[in-house]
Amino acid sequence: MNVLVTAGPTREAIDPVRFVSNRSSGKMGTAIAQAARAAGHTVRLITGPVALPPPADVSLVRVTSAADMLAAVEKNLAWCDWLIMAAAVADWRPRHPASHKLKKADGPPCIEWEPAPDILATIAPRKKPGQLFCGFAAETRPLVREAMRKLRDKNLDLLALNDVSQHDRGFEADTNALTFFDAAGQRQPLPLAPKSVCAAQLIARMEKLHAKKI
Ligand code: PMT
């Protein structure tokens, strides 16, 4: 399979030296790219700014903002059989990033916000028959309800829910605990495990979904 994976955070510019971002380290998405490669798939990884070494045998595209990531996903969409969106993409961005560094002497800036592009929502209507899309849900409360909503609204085949309110899972941790929800309504909670193990479980689940579809 041709597997397109996204990882890491995006950065949205406030001015030439400042940005808004989030705590994603890229570990989860990178582990998925490695697990897909280890399972014999051809992998392209689109990553926001992370401090991880590039995985072996995986073609890497580095991006900065949500708009960059959307463009890179769109460019690779026709190529991929599976899209796995583990990146923590910004929901909001400054509407008018300053072209010069904001001066402290001018006082706290008043930033006007606009929605950043929602990558999955943008491409969901373009899903071709046979393609599989997997999204993540990073939640701190009403976990299951939000997961089901994202699965439906973003036209996903699989959603991996992680509770990001605990220090041993989700953002930055080396471990995670995923619950899979599929479009047929099946729910599968998995125990806390190294992200490499979670990633291998996710790839195995995609392989099962693929086998069911053909
Ligand atoms: O990188 P790590 O430190 O290892 O942390 C891993 C992780 C917590 C970032 C990862 O496991 C995870 O949960 N990634 C998704 C984070 C997220 O943005 O979740 P969300 O619930 O806000 O978004 C739902 C889905 O829509 C995600 O697949 C996301 O990639 C996608 N999305 C979100 C916003 C946006 N503008 N466009 C999108 O496509």
Side-chain angles (χ1 to χ4, degrees):
M1 293 290 125
N2 289 340
V3 182
L4 184 62
V5 183
T6 68
T10 63
R11 288 181 181 174
E12 310 303 322
I14 294 172
D15 72 10
V17 300
R18 301 181 181 92
F19 54 81
V20 267
S21 190
N22 60 65
R23 287 175 35 217
S24 172
S25 63
K27 288 177 188 173
M28 190 68 248
T30 301
I32 293 167
Q34 283 168 324
R37 186 66 204 105
H41 303 291
T42 305
V43 184
R44 292 183 185 170
L45 174 63
I46 299 172
T47 178
V50 297
L52 298 174
D57 248 348
V58 163
S59 110
L60 192 71
V61 181
R62 292 186 192 274
V63 297
T64 303
S65 66
D68 298 339
M69 191 171 276
L70 172 61
V73 168
E74 284 180 318
K75 198 169 164 194
N76 287 284
L77 197 56
W79 168 85
C80 75
D81 300 300
W82 301 349
L83 168 67
I84 303 173
M85 285 282 306
V89 187
D91 289 324
W92 302 95
R93 65 184 178 189
R95 185 182 294 278
H96 303 295
S99 49
H100 295 286
K101 184 184 170 195
L102 298 173
K103 292 285 172 208
K104 190 177 175 183
D106 292 337
C110 191
I111 297 172
E112 191 187 337
W113 298 90
E114 66 177 7
D118 187 319
I119 299 172
L120 276 177
T122 305
I123 58 162
R126 300 187 216 157
K127 187 160 69 173
K128 288 184 303 191
Q131 271 184 326
L132 291 178
F133 287 2
C134 168
F136 271 71
E139 305 295 344
T140 55
R141 57 191 173 161
L143 304 175
V144 172
R145 203 178 54 218
E146 266 305 286
M148 300 300 286
R149 185 187 63 74
K150 284 176 182 168
L151 182 76
R152 193 182 55 242
D153 289 358
K154 299 193 177 197
N155 191 20
L156 300 174
D157 302 281
L158 186 66
L159 184 126
L161 168 68
N162 40 193
D163 177 351
V164 293
S165 66
Q166 297 180 52
H167 71 277
D168 60 356
R169 61 199 70 190
F171 289 95
E172 294 174 310
D174 290 325
T175 48
N176 209 353
L178 301 178
T179 300
F180 295 144
F181 295 82
D182 69 22
Q186 281 198 342
R187 177 174 160 192
Q188 182 189 7
L190 297 167
L192 188 72
K195 281 182 174 169
S196 56
V197 172
C198 301
Q201 288 165 330
L202 189 146
I203 293 301
R205 190 62 197 258
M206 291 293 280
E207 284 169 347
K208 270 195 192 146
L209 284 176
H210 174 77
K212 260 193 204 163
K213 248 190 162 174
I214 52 174

mmCIF file of all heavy atoms in Angstrom, residues 38-76:
data_model
loop_
_atom_site.group_PDB
_atom_site.id
_atom_site.type_symbol
_atom_site.label_atom_id
_atom_site.label_comp_id
_atom_site.label_asym_id
_atom_site.label_seq_id
_atom_site.Cartn_x
_atom_site.Cartn_y
_atom_site.Cartn_z
ATOM 1 N N ALA A 38 7.803 -0.932 8.266
ATOM 2 C CA ALA A 38 8.200 -2.265 8.762
ATOM 3 C C ALA A 38 7.228 -3.337 8.270
ATOM 4 O O ALA A 38 7.601 -4.504 8.120
ATOM 5 C CB ALA A 38 8.253 -2.257 10.292
ATOM 6 N N ALA A 39 5.977 -2.936 8.017
ATOM 7 C CA ALA A 39 4.975 -3.907 7.542
ATOM 8 C C ALA A 39 5.020 -4.047 6.020
ATOM 9 O O ALA A 39 4.165 -4.730 5.441
ATOM 10 C CB ALA A 39 3.585 -3.479 8.003
ATOM 11 N N GLY A 40 5.982 -3.362 5.386
ATOM 12 C CA GLY A 40 6.190 -3.566 3.945
ATOM 13 C C GLY A 40 5.498 -2.548 3.050
ATOM 14 O O GLY A 40 5.495 -2.708 1.821
ATOM 15 N N HIS A 41 4.932 -1.501 3.626
ATOM 16 C CA HIS A 41 4.246 -0.496 2.818
ATOM 17 C C HIS A 41 5.235 0.571 2.338
ATOM 18 O O HIS A 41 6.325 0.718 2.883
ATOM 19 C CB HIS A 41 3.124 0.148 3.638
ATOM 20 C CG HIS A 41 2.135 -0.857 4.166
ATOM 21 N ND1 HIS A 41 1.279 -1.546 3.329
ATOM 22 C CD2 HIS A 41 1.889 -1.328 5.422
ATOM 23 C CE1 HIS A 41 0.527 -2.369 4.055
ATOM 24 N NE2 HIS A 41 0.891 -2.268 5.327
ATOM 25 N N THR A 42 4.820 1.320 1.331
ATOM 26 C CA THR A 42 5.611 2.460 0.854
ATOM 27 C C THR A 42 5.069 3.700 1.559
ATOM 28 O O THR A 42 3.856 3.947 1.529
ATOM 29 C CB THR A 42 5.453 2.615 -0.671
ATOM 30 O OG1 THR A 42 5.801 1.361 -1.262
ATOM 31 C CG2 THR A 42 6.330 3.708 -1.222
ATOM 32 N N VAL A 43 5.958 4.457 2.191
ATOM 33 C CA VAL A 43 5.477 5.480 3.120
ATOM 34 C C VAL A 43 6.019 6.865 2.785
ATOM 35 O O VAL A 43 7.213 7.029 2.515
ATOM 36 C CB VAL A 43 5.888 5.113 4.576
ATOM 37 C CG1 VAL A 43 5.317 6.120 5.565
ATOM 38 C CG2 VAL A 43 5.427 3.703 4.933
ATOM 39 N N ARG A 44 5.122 7.846 2.816
ATOM 40 C CA ARG A 44 5.512 9.259 2.766
ATOM 41 C C ARG A 44 5.040 9.901 4.055
ATOM 42 O O ARG A 44 3.876 9.744 4.434
ATOM 43 C CB ARG A 44 4.880 9.967 1.569
ATOM 44 C CG ARG A 44 5.445 9.486 0.242
ATOM 45 C CD ARG A 44 4.855 10.245 -0.930
ATOM 46 N NE ARG A 44 5.341 9.672 -2.176
ATOM 47 C CZ ARG A 44 4.881 9.971 -3.383
ATOM 48 N NH1 ARG A 44 3.894 10.868 -3.514
ATOM 49 N NH2 ARG A 44 5.391 9.413 -4.453
ATOM 50 N N LEU A 45 5.955 10.624 4.704
ATOM 51 C CA LEU A 45 5.639 11.269 5.985
ATOM 52 C C LEU A 45 5.700 12.782 5.818
ATOM 53 O O LEU A 45 6.732 13.324 5.412
ATOM 54 C CB LEU A 45 6.657 10.811 7.040
ATOM 55 C CG LEU A 45 6.582 11.478 8.413
ATOM 56 C CD1 LEU A 45 5.258 11.192 9.110
ATOM 57 C CD2 LEU A 45 7.749 11.013 9.304
ATOM 58 N N ILE A 46 4.577 13.428 6.115
ATOM 59 C CA ILE A 46 4.533 14.892 6.089
ATOM 60 C C ILE A 46 4.608 15.349 7.536
ATOM 61 O O ILE A 46 3.734 14.999 8.340
ATOM 62 C CB ILE A 46 3.222 15.393 5.447
ATOM 63 C CG1 ILE A 46 3.125 14.906 4.002
ATOM 64 C CG2 ILE A 46 3.141 16.918 5.509
ATOM 65 C CD1 ILE A 46 1.774 15.185 3.337
ATOM 66 N N THR A 47 5.660 16.076 7.879
ATOM 67 C CA THR A 47 5.828 16.418 9.291
ATOM 68 C C THR A 47 5.973 17.910 9.517
ATOM 69 O O THR A 47 6.667 18.597 8.763
ATOM 70 C CB THR A 47 7.026 15.643 9.902
ATOM 71 O OG1 THR A 47 7.189 16.042 11.258
ATOM 72 C CG2 THR A 47 8.309 15.892 9.172
ATOM 73 N N GLY A 48 5.309 18.382 10.580
ATOM 74 C CA GLY A 48 5.535 19.734 11.052
ATOM 75 C C GLY A 48 6.887 19.785 11.751
ATOM 76 O O GLY A 48 7.609 18.786 11.790
ATOM 77 N N PRO A 49 7.245 20.942 12.320
ATOM 78 C CA PRO A 49 8.566 21.083 12.935
ATOM 79 C C PRO A 49 8.733 20.183 14.164
ATOM 80 O O PRO A 49 8.032 20.362 15.152
ATOM 81 C CB PRO A 49 8.594 22.566 13.358
ATOM 82 C CG PRO A 49 7.495 23.219 12.578
ATOM 83 C CD PRO A 49 6.455 22.188 12.346
ATOM 84 N N VAL A 50 9.620 19.197 14.058
ATOM 85 C CA VAL A 50 9.882 18.273 15.167
ATOM 86 C C VAL A 50 11.392 18.085 15.313
ATOM 87 O O VAL A 50 12.146 18.393 14.385
ATOM 88 C CB VAL A 50 9.213 16.890 14.948
ATOM 89 C CG1 VAL A 50 7.704 17.002 14.887
ATOM 90 C CG2 VAL A 50 9.745 16.191 13.704
ATOM 91 N N ALA A 51 11.796 17.552 16.451
ATOM 92 C CA ALA A 51 13.232 17.378 16.708
ATOM 93 C C ALA A 51 13.636 15.913 16.583
ATOM 94 O O ALA A 51 14.590 15.475 17.200
ATOM 95 C CB ALA A 51 13.560 17.892 18.109
ATOM 96 N N LEU A 52 12.896 15.123 15.814
ATOM 97 C CA LEU A 52 13.168 13.686 15.700
ATOM 98 C C LEU A 52 14.016 13.401 14.464
ATOM 99 O O LEU A 52 13.870 14.099 13.451
ATOM 100 C CB LEU A 52 11.848 12.919 15.561
ATOM 101 C CG LEU A 52 10.873 13.018 16.721
ATOM 102 C CD1 LEU A 52 9.563 12.331 16.362
ATOM 103 C CD2 LEU A 52 11.483 12.396 17.971
ATOM 104 N N PRO A 53 14.852 12.357 14.515
ATOM 105 C CA PRO A 53 15.568 11.969 13.301
ATOM 106 C C PRO A 53 14.576 11.423 12.270
ATOM 107 O O PRO A 53 13.594 10.774 12.650
ATOM 108 C CB PRO A 53 16.534 10.877 13.759
ATOM 109 C CG PRO A 53 16.027 10.424 15.079
ATOM 110 C CD PRO A 53 15.145 11.500 15.658
ATOM 111 N N PRO A 54 14.799 11.692 10.966
ATOM 112 C CA PRO A 54 13.868 11.170 9.964
ATOM 113 C C PRO A 54 13.889 9.651 9.945
ATOM 114 O O PRO A 54 14.955 9.050 10.046
ATOM 115 C CB PRO A 54 14.400 11.742 8.638
ATOM 116 C CG PRO A 54 15.713 12.365 8.936
ATOM 117 C CD PRO A 54 15.920 12.431 10.426
ATOM 118 N N PRO A 55 12.729 8.993 9.846
ATOM 119 C CA PRO A 55 12.726 7.526 9.820
ATOM 120 C C PRO A 55 13.365 6.998 8.537
ATOM 121 O O PRO A 55 13.265 7.629 7.489
ATOM 122 C CB PRO A 55 11.245 7.174 9.890
ATOM 123 C CG PRO A 55 10.492 8.409 9.614
ATOM 124 C CD PRO A 55 11.396 9.585 9.778
ATOM 125 N N ALA A 56 14.017 5.833 8.670
ATOM 126 C CA ALA A 56 14.702 5.234 7.516
ATOM 127 C C ALA A 56 13.691 4.766 6.486
ATOM 128 O O ALA A 56 12.582 4.321 6.843
ATOM 129 C CB ALA A 56 15.544 4.054 7.997
ATOM 130 N N ASP A 57 14.067 4.933 5.213
ATOM 131 C CA ASP A 57 13.277 4.321 4.141
ATOM 132 C C ASP A 57 11.889 4.918 3.957
ATOM 133 O O ASP A 57 10.976 4.247 3.460
ATOM 134 C CB ASP A 57 13.090 2.830 4.457
ATOM 135 C CG ASP A 57 13.838 1.983 3.462
ATOM 136 O OD1 ASP A 57 14.270 2.535 2.450
ATOM 137 O OD2 ASP A 57 13.946 0.770 3.708
ATOM 138 N N VAL A 58 11.734 6.141 4.428
ATOM 139 C CA VAL A 58 10.437 6.819 4.341
ATOM 140 C C VAL A 58 10.689 8.156 3.654
ATOM 141 O O VAL A 58 11.636 8.851 4.005
ATOM 142 C CB VAL A 58 9.885 7.053 5.773
ATOM 143 C CG1 VAL A 58 8.787 8.091 5.797
ATOM 144 C CG2 VAL A 58 9.393 5.741 6.375
ATOM 145 N N SER A 59 9.868 8.521 2.691
ATOM 146 C CA SER A 59 10.122 9.819 2.062
ATOM 147 C C SER A 59 9.475 10.918 2.911
ATOM 148 O O SER A 59 8.333 10.794 3.364
ATOM 149 C CB SER A 59 9.685 9.784 0.598
ATOM 150 O OG SER A 59 8.568 10.554 0.406
ATOM 151 N N LEU A 60 10.252 11.973 3.159
ATOM 152 C CA LEU A 60 9.881 12.966 4.174
ATOM 153 C C LEU A 60 9.594 14.314 3.522
ATOM 154 O O LEU A 60 10.354 14.785 2.689
ATOM 155 C CB LEU A 60 11.074 13.110 5.132
ATOM 156 C CG LEU A 60 10.825 13.879 6.413
ATOM 157 C CD1 LEU A 60 9.932 13.091 7.358
ATOM 158 C CD2 LEU A 60 12.163 14.179 7.112
ATOM 159 N N VAL A 61 8.486 14.922 3.926
ATOM 160 C CA VAL A 61 8.149 16.272 3.481
ATOM 161 C C VAL A 61 8.020 17.127 4.732
ATOM 162 O O VAL A 61 7.191 16.813 5.602
ATOM 163 C CB VAL A 61 6.803 16.291 2.705
ATOM 164 C CG1 VAL A 61 6.465 17.698 2.232
ATOM 165 C CG2 VAL A 61 6.821 15.306 1.550
ATOM 166 N N ARG A 62 8.825 18.164 4.844
ATOM 167 C CA ARG A 62 8.755 19.030 6.034
ATOM 168 C C ARG A 62 7.900 20.253 5.729
ATOM 169 O O ARG A 62 8.080 20.888 4.685
ATOM 170 C CB ARG A 62 10.157 19.492 6.444
ATOM 171 C CG ARG A 62 11.022 18.367 6.962
ATOM 172 C CD ARG A 62 12.345 18.924 7.491
ATOM 173 N NE ARG A 62 13.310 17.857 7.732
ATOM 174 C CZ ARG A 62 13.384 17.166 8.852
ATOM 175 N NH1 ARG A 62 12.532 17.397 9.828
ATOM 176 N NH2 ARG A 62 14.302 16.226 9.009
ATOM 177 N N VAL A 63 6.978 20.547 6.634
ATOM 178 C CA VAL A 63 6.101 21.704 6.461
ATOM 179 C C VAL A 63 6.086 22.507 7.764
ATOM 180 O O VAL A 63 6.556 22.031 8.802
ATOM 181 C CB VAL A 63 4.652 21.283 6.090
ATOM 182 C CG1 VAL A 63 4.609 20.559 4.761
ATOM 183 C CG2 VAL A 63 4.020 20.431 7.195
ATOM 184 N N THR A 64 5.511 23.700 7.687
ATOM 185 C CA THR A 64 5.450 24.540 8.893
ATOM 186 C C THR A 64 3.998 24.774 9.336
ATOM 187 O O THR A 64 3.615 24.410 10.443
ATOM 188 C CB THR A 64 6.157 25.886 8.632
ATOM 189 O OG1 THR A 64 7.496 25.629 8.235
ATOM 190 C CG2 THR A 64 6.169 26.753 9.894
ATOM 191 N N SER A 65 3.202 25.347 8.466
ATOM 192 C CA SER A 65 1.857 25.781 8.880
ATOM 193 C C SER A 65 0.787 24.774 8.455
ATOM 194 O O SER A 65 1.040 23.848 7.670
ATOM 195 C CB SER A 65 1.550 27.132 8.243
ATOM 196 O OG SER A 65 1.474 26.960 6.842
ATOM 197 N N ALA A 66 -0.434 25.012 8.950
ATOM 198 C CA ALA A 66 -1.571 24.181 8.531
ATOM 199 C C ALA A 66 -1.790 24.302 7.022
ATOM 200 O O ALA A 66 -2.102 23.312 6.346
ATOM 201 C CB ALA A 66 -2.823 24.605 9.285
ATOM 202 N N ALA A 67 -1.621 25.519 6.487
ATOM 203 C CA ALA A 67 -1.809 25.709 5.045
ATOM 204 C C ALA A 67 -0.768 24.908 4.263
ATOM 205 O O ALA A 67 -1.087 24.282 3.239
ATOM 206 C CB ALA A 67 -1.719 27.204 4.701
ATOM 207 N N ASP A 68 0.487 24.906 4.742
ATOM 208 C CA ASP A 68 1.547 24.107 4.083
ATOM 209 C C ASP A 68 1.194 22.621 4.131
ATOM 210 O O ASP A 68 1.395 21.880 3.168
ATOM 211 C CB ASP A 68 2.893 24.213 4.820
ATOM 212 C CG ASP A 68 3.467 25.605 4.863
ATOM 213 O OD1 ASP A 68 3.095 26.435 4.025
ATOM 214 O OD2 ASP A 68 4.299 25.843 5.776
ATOM 215 N N MET A 69 0.699 22.185 5.304
ATOM 216 C CA MET A 69 0.400 20.751 5.457
ATOM 217 C C MET A 69 -0.753 20.356 4.541
ATOM 218 O O MET A 69 -0.721 19.296 3.910
ATOM 219 C CB MET A 69 0.098 20.395 6.916
ATOM 220 C CG MET A 69 0.045 18.909 7.154
ATOM 221 S SD MET A 69 -0.065 18.429 8.889
ATOM 222 C CE MET A 69 1.639 18.458 9.399
ATOM 223 N N LEU A 70 -1.761 21.230 4.451
ATOM 224 C CA LEU A 70 -2.883 20.949 3.539
ATOM 225 C C LEU A 70 -2.362 20.810 2.103
ATOM 226 O O LEU A 70 -2.723 19.853 1.392
ATOM 227 C CB LEU A 70 -3.932 22.066 3.613
ATOM 228 C CG LEU A 70 -5.046 21.990 2.571
ATOM 229 C CD1 LEU A 70 -5.863 20.705 2.699
ATOM 230 C CD2 LEU A 70 -5.977 23.214 2.666
ATOM 231 N N ALA A 71 -1.493 21.746 1.684
ATOM 232 C CA ALA A 71 -0.974 21.695 0.304
ATOM 233 C C ALA A 71 -0.210 20.386 0.069
ATOM 234 O O ALA A 71 -0.352 19.748 -0.988
ATOM 235 C CB ALA A 71 -0.082 22.913 0.042
ATOM 236 N N ALA A 72 0.587 19.974 1.072
ATOM 237 C CA ALA A 72 1.382 18.745 0.914
ATOM 238 C C ALA A 72 0.465 17.511 0.878
ATOM 239 O O ALA A 72 0.704 16.576 0.096
ATOM 240 C CB ALA A 72 2.381 18.628 2.063
ATOM 241 N N VAL A 73 -0.584 17.509 1.697
ATOM 242 C CA VAL A 73 -1.521 16.372 1.674
ATOM 243 C C VAL A 73 -2.234 16.333 0.326
ATOM 244 O O VAL A 73 -2.357 15.264 -0.307
ATOM 245 C CB VAL A 73 -2.531 16.458 2.844
ATOM 246 C CG1 VAL A 73 -3.668 15.461 2.670
ATOM 247 C CG2 VAL A 73 -1.829 16.212 4.178
ATOM 248 N N GLU A 74 -2.674 17.496 -0.143
ATOM 249 C CA GLU A 74 -3.399 17.532 -1.437
ATOM 250 C C GLU A 74 -2.505 17.017 -2.568
ATOM 251 O O GLU A 74 -2.952 16.280 -3.439
ATOM 252 C CB GLU A 74 -3.874 18.956 -1.740
ATOM 253 C CG GLU A 74 -5.091 19.337 -0.894
ATOM 254 C CD GLU A 74 -5.592 20.746 -1.159
ATOM 255 O OE1 GLU A 74 -4.756 21.652 -1.284
ATOM 256 O OE2 GLU A 74 -6.830 20.923 -1.233
ATOM 257 N N LYS A 75 -1.218 17.398 -2.515
ATOM 258 C CA LYS A 75 -0.271 16.979 -3.561
ATOM 259 C C LYS A 75 -0.094 15.453 -3.589
ATOM 260 O O LYS A 75 0.151 14.865 -4.640
ATOM 261 C CB LYS A 75 1.072 17.654 -3.282
ATOM 262 C CG LYS A 75 2.020 17.679 -4.440
ATOM 263 C CD LYS A 75 3.193 18.579 -4.162
ATOM 264 C CE LYS A 75 4.286 18.278 -5.163
ATOM 265 N NZ LYS A 75 5.561 18.857 -4.762
ATOM 266 N N ASN A 76 -0.213 14.826 -2.436
ATOM 267 C CA ASN A 76 0.048 13.379 -2.335
ATOM 268 C C ASN A 76 -1.219 12.532 -2.265
ATOM 269 O O ASN A 76 -1.144 11.311 -2.132
ATOM 270 C CB ASN A 76 0.898 13.110 -1.090
ATOM 271 C CG ASN A 76 2.332 13.559 -1.288
ATOM 272 O OD1 ASN A 76 3.105 12.892 -1.968
ATOM 273 N ND2 ASN A 76 2.671 14.718 -0.742
#
